[in-house]
Structure formats: structure tokens, C-alpha cells
Amino acid sequence: FIYSRPLIQISAPTTRNNSATSAPKQSSLPLTLIGTFVEKGRAPYAIIEEQKRNTQEVFSIDDKIFGEALLKKILIDRVEISRNGTTE
């Protein structure tokens, strides 16, 4: 997952102590989540910045993010991506 840059200080989500479910690892890709749009009844999207080129683009579920990973889930405070068979 990629966390957004906080406009206000927000604690990172805590993981539950549940051996059946493991939390995705944080991505090492040079990407920054700028923001997400999540509203019931409307398609969610995320604005992600590629740090190398300082470029921002809008992505939807199943979009390829800057040729690096596939966007799998968009939540209010983070996104989950798939890269090399691993969820980040």
C-alpha cells in the first residue's frame, strides 16, 4: 500500500493480531499517494505521483501505475497495488 502525504498528522492503521490475515507490505516504489476519491455509487480513483519525474496522474482500479504495478484497491487513506505477485 502507499500512504498519502498527510495534510494533518494521522496515525498509520494498526494491524490486527490475526495469523490468518497478513497486512500488505508497504511499497518501496518511488510513488506518493496524493489523494483518493471514494464515494458510494461512484467509481473510486487515486491521484499518484511518480517521485522520479515529479509527475501526477489519476488512476482507477486495474490501471497500471507508471508501468510499475497494478492498482487493486482504493481506500480513503491508502491504495493497494499488485507487483510481482505481491500485494503492497
Side-chain angles (χ1 to χ4, degrees):
F1 54 93
I2 305 168
Y3 283 102
S4 64
R5 282 188 248 179
L7 297 176
I8 56 173
Q9 188 61 38
I10 299 173
S11 298
T14 58
T15 57
R16 292 187 177 104
N17 190 9
N18 184 348
S19 59
T21 307
S22 61
K25 70 176 190 168
Q26 187 159 345
S27 181
S28 61
L29 289 172
L31 303 173
T32 302
L33 178 63
I34 302 301
T36 63
F37 174 82
V38 180
E39 184 179 323
K40 189 174 182 173
R42 298 186 69 185
Y45 62 85
I47 302 167
I48 299 174
E49 178 178 87
E50 183 182 34
Q51 296 168 357
K52 291 178 191 175
R53 290 185 268 168
N54 204 26
T55 302
Q56 296 178 5
E57 289 188 27
V58 176
F59 297 94
S60 298
I61 304 270
D62 292 331
D63 282 352
K64 190 84 167 181
I65 304 170
F66 298 108
E68 299 283 342
L70 194 64
L71 183 58
K72 298 308 287 179
K73 189 184 281 187
I74 301 172
L75 303 164
I76 197 161
D77 63 342
R78 66 187 181 280
V79 296
E80 291 184 6
I81 61 174
S82 177
R83 180 170 66 125
N84 301 326
T86 303
T87 300
E88 302 178 8

